Amino acid sequence: MNILMLDLAAEYRELEAELMAAIREVLAAGNFILGPQVAALEREVAEYIGVPHAVAVASGTDALHLVLRAAGVGADDEVVVPAFTFIATAEAVSHAGARPVFADIDPATYNLDPASLEAAITPRTRAVIVVHLYGHTANLELISAICARRGLAMIEDCAQAFGADFAGKSAGAWGEAGCFSFYPTKNLGAYGDGGMVTTGDPVLADRIRMLRHHGSRTAGQHETVGYNSRLDELQAAILRVKLRHVTRWNERRRGHAAAYRRLLAGGPFALPAEHGRGAHVYHQFTIRSAARDAVRKRLAAQGVASAVYYALPLYRQPAYASVRRSVSCPAAEQAAREVLSLPIYPQLTEEAIHHVCNALLSAVPATRA
Ligand SMILES: *Cc1c(COP(=O)(O)O)cnc(C)c1O
């Protein structure tokens, strides 16, 4: 039995009729950039997340970058980011002309550790990007309190957390802004790149609309040097179809996570923690093992795909070699050595989950994990 990390073709088969109708409608209308589909998606996402404003952009990376620019973050500023996340979180800071400062994670949830965040704040710190890794929200109560006390903007990287919440309030509704990615593999994914900013601040929303469209609010007038960072109508139409299913899909992911927990209980692997303060939407189901690389090889031999997100803390990436010497994040280091993400997606079958778990439990080396 061969089990993929993700099966987007299976998702397409489930939705083919709805998707093709939406695509035909856009092609027939002949309007491809900043038209009614994008405007409707922005309204629908704002309502889903529970914020007054949503602005569609070309990617999750651009969402973060444009928020930083719109918030006036730039040269000589520092932005605290977790050391254990996708590189885009830090790249956005660098592109804004500011300096990413890496803080450590809580080893149980892999999310920004509030104590390490506090220690990373300097007089130059302007903002914090809190990442909701693998689909589970960071401790937004503690982190937003720290940001409020220290006068910092809190920006949420919700790329992996569409539909997650903390204390009943959605990821993306807590910070000055929430930044979402519609990269095809995310819980709500387009058939190409896409992103969205959610915010309660009308001034910030308006600036991002201007920045995404070459710095223009009025046709022919460019008040600042902006970007070409728009979501297109086809992707918006596809996302509107998928948005109608994402709640059900996230529930299926949670069901699969519960099945993994049952089948792996008492075994040698550390299972993902839930803080119990809000729904984990299981963008990834990530276990850990000191024998991670050996386990992964044996899974592959039994036809089971797996993935390592992320093999290096960001400050160990060549791109951030210049900051390496000044940083130490032991929890991020250990996570990078031990994490292993298993297949999890709505269309995954119970039979497949059994196969993964049997392969995992037979894959444990004699020394135990
Ligand atoms: C995917 C991702 C991004 C970037 O999103 P893109 O749409 O690929 O630019 C940023 N942060 C995290 C945590 C991600 O997983």
Side-chain angles (χ1 to χ4, degrees):
M1 192 174 187
N2 256 334
I3 299 166
L4 307 169
M5 266 314 270
L6 182 62
D7 189 351
L8 290 174
E11 184 196 86
Y12 173 67
R13 287 193 294 276
E14 197 181 302
L15 296 188
E16 184 169 5
E18 274 178 86
L19 285 166
M20 290 316 294
I23 290 168
R24 270 192 219 99
E25 190 184 324
V26 173
L27 299 190
N31 190 352
F32 299 104
I33 299 289
L34 295 183
Q37 296 291 338
V38 167
L41 178 70
E42 289 178 340
R43 282 193 302 274
E44 289 162 8
V45 168
E47 190 185 351
Y48 192 96
I49 302 300
V51 292
H53 310 282
V55 185
V57 294
S59 70
T61 310
D62 278 8
L64 291 161
H65 177 200
L66 267 55
V67 163
L68 289 165
R69 263 211 63 182
V73 174
D76 299 329
D77 293 334
E78 292 178 355
V79 178
V80 180
V81 302
F84 192 67
T85 173
F86 184 54
I87 191 163
T89 313
E91 260 178 333
V93 177
S94 302
H95 283 311
R99 202 165 79 81
V101 173
F102 297 104
D104 209 355
I105 53 166
D106 162 26
T109 61
Y110 308 107
N111 280 325
L112 190 58
D113 172 40
S116 182
L117 160 62
E118 287 253 44
I121 295 169
T122 76
R124 289 181 185 277
T125 310
R126 285 283 313 278
V128 175
I129 302 181
V130 55
V131 181
H132 308 309
L133 204 70
Y134 304 148
H136 200 29
T137 44
N139 191 327
L140 286 164
E141 240 160 45
L142 274 177
I143 293 169
S144 62
I146 293 169
C147 289
R149 181 156 37 81
R150 309 292 291 258
L152 309 175
M154 184 174 86
I155 297 161
E156 299 178 68
D157 180 339
C158 308
Q160 302 186 4
F162 195 96
D165 76 288
F166 188 89
K169 187 159 138 184
S170 292
W174 279 81
E176 260 70 39
C179 300
F180 291 86
S181 165
F182 301 131
Y183 186 78
T185 63
K186 309 288 170 153
N187 287 31
L188 178 63
Y191 287 158
D193 280 304
M196 186 77 79
V197 175
T198 54
T199 182
D201 179 350
V203 175
L204 192 74
D206 185 56
R207 276 200 207 125
I208 293 165
R209 284 183 199 284
M210 178 268 290
L211 285 171
R212 76 174 172 184
H213 191 50
H214 301 288
S216 176
R217 283 187 173 95
T218 312
Q221 299 253 12
H222 304 275
E223 55 193 270
T224 187
V225 176
Y227 304 88
N228 175 349
S229 181
R230 299 162 306 216
L231 184 74
D232 65 73
E233 287 283 289
L234 268 177
Q235 299 303 339
I238 288 160
L239 286 162
R240 291 182 68 205
V241 170
K242 293 197 184 191
L243 183 61
R244 300 201 284 267
H245 300 274
V246 74
T247 303
R248 178 172 60 87
W249 284 340
N250 280 343
E251 272 158 21
R252 277 206 240 164
R253 286 173 183 268
R254 292 177 53 72
H256 294 335
Y260 270 129
R261 278 183 202 288
R262 255 192 332 272
L263 294 166
L264 296 173
F269 303 102
L271 303 179
E274 285 200 16
H275 51 47
R277 305 288 314 277
H280 191 323
V281 293
Y282 289 98
H283 175 61
Q284 300 294 341
F285 187 89
T286 302
I287 62 171
R288 57 199 292 170
S289 163
R292 190 260 318 272
D293 294 339
V295 170
R296 192 167 183 223
K297 267 200 201 115
R298 295 201 207 173
L299 283 178
Q302 299 190 57
V304 176
S306 62
V308 174
Y309 304 119
Y310 299 90
L312 289 174
L314 286 183
Y315 55 83
R316 290 202 181 277
Q317 290 289 354
Y320 286 112
S322 59
V323 299
R324 184 171 311 156
R325 244 170 299 132
S326 58
V327 192
S328 163
C329 297
E333 298 271 341
Q334 194 181 351
R337 284 193 302 270
E338 297 187 348
V339 291
L340 186 64
S341 295
L342 304 178
I344 192 161
Y345 53 92
Q347 296 75 18
L348 191 68
T349 63
E350 195 147 320
E351 187 196 2
I353 294 173
H354 273 92
H355 182 76
V356 174
C357 293
N358 289 338
L360 261 178
L361 294 171
S362 71
V364 181
T367 53
R368 309 286 279 180

